[in-house]
Amino acid sequence: MSGELGARRRLLEERVRAFPDFPAPGVLFRDISPLVKDPIAFRTVIDILEAHLKTHYPEIDFIAGLDSRGFLFGPVLAQRLGIGCVLIRKKGKLPGPTESVSYALEYGQAELEIQSDALEPGEKVVLVDDLLATGGTMCAACELMKKLKAEVLECVVVIELKSLKGAEKLKPFPVYSLLQYD
């Protein structure tokens, strides 16, 4: 880790709390609430993500924020980049015609959807969420992009739980994570 970037990431790590056995026994929950509460830490997340995306993807049409904590980062990041943000929601939360995908969670089943007219074929999209665990939610979001014929440039997360191998499930889509935990 480079000096300044390393120091910035350490600041973020200090703002993430761990809660064992939540929401189920054996799960170590990584809580971003203190990170969002701290304006300097939150701004640091957005600054790092903005710099990364500007460097690697000079042409992005939209950020797609995943329900629900992706909504904390996606719109702010989109605003910084001067582009729009589209919402990927849990089933039943969007009006009008939608596309949906079912997927498995670490502890259950769920469904994501997006409005059918949210993106045009060929538009370049970066998916944003707070956490990548097993990859189920992000993989479902990538499937939604495929249904709309949008191009996924990258899947961006604040935290990646490396031991759960979610990034492997997302191949060939690249994954960028600010913080990694085993």
Side-chain angles (χ1 to χ4, degrees):
M1 222 179 306
S2 70
E4 183 184 341
L5 183 57
R8 294 166 83 195
R9 284 188 172 161
R10 280 190 294 282
L11 166 70
L12 302 180
E13 287 170 348
E14 291 169 2
R15 300 301 185 275
V16 175
R17 294 187 294 192
F19 284 96
D21 299 320
F22 182 83
V27 174
L28 180 61
F29 187 85
R30 300 291 177 167
D31 180 22
I32 62 165
S33 298
L35 187 149
V36 174
K37 182 179 175 183
D38 180 338
I40 294 169
F42 185 79
R43 184 174 41 249
T44 299
V45 168
I46 301 301
D47 288 347
I48 294 170
L49 294 178
E50 176 188 17
H52 167 77
L53 292 175
K54 282 183 174 179
T55 299
H56 292 89
Y57 304 101
E59 292 186 27
I60 304 169
D61 295 310
F62 290 97
I63 296 292
L66 278 64
D67 199 341
S68 69
R69 289 181 298 269
F71 297 169
L72 299 172
F73 303 99
V76 178
L77 185 56
Q79 181 66 37
R80 285 272 195 94
L81 295 170
I83 59 177
C85 184
V86 298
L87 304 179
I88 297 175
R89 300 290 319 259
K90 293 175 181 138
K91 181 86 173 149
K93 301 291 183 181
L94 292 171
T98 61
E99 296 290 334
S100 64
V101 172
S102 294
Y103 65 101
L105 289 170
E106 298 87 296
Y107 32 81
Q109 190 76 12
E111 201 166 347
L112 286 182
E113 62 184 4
I114 189 168
Q115 290 174 319
S116 300
D117 62 355
L119 299 165
E120 296 295 321
E123 287 185 314
K124 295 172 176 57
V125 180
V126 171
L127 302 173
V128 176
D129 205 359
D130 69 320
L131 178 78
L132 178 63
T134 62
T137 305
M138 190 64 80
C139 196
C142 289
E143 284 296 313
L144 284 174
M145 297 299 100
K146 189 180 196 179
K147 283 187 171 193
L148 295 182
K149 297 179 175 58
E151 179 186 345
V152 175
L153 298 176
E154 189 169 58
C155 302
V156 171
V157 296
V158 178
I159 295 173
E160 179 182 358
L161 304 179
K162 299 287 274 184
S163 62
L164 298 177
K165 303 180 191 294
E168 291 177 21
K169 187 174 184 180
L170 290 168
K171 288 180 181 176
F173 303 112
V175 173
Y176 178 76
S177 53
L178 288 180
L179 304 174
Q180 297 85 32
Y181 297 94
D182 288 324

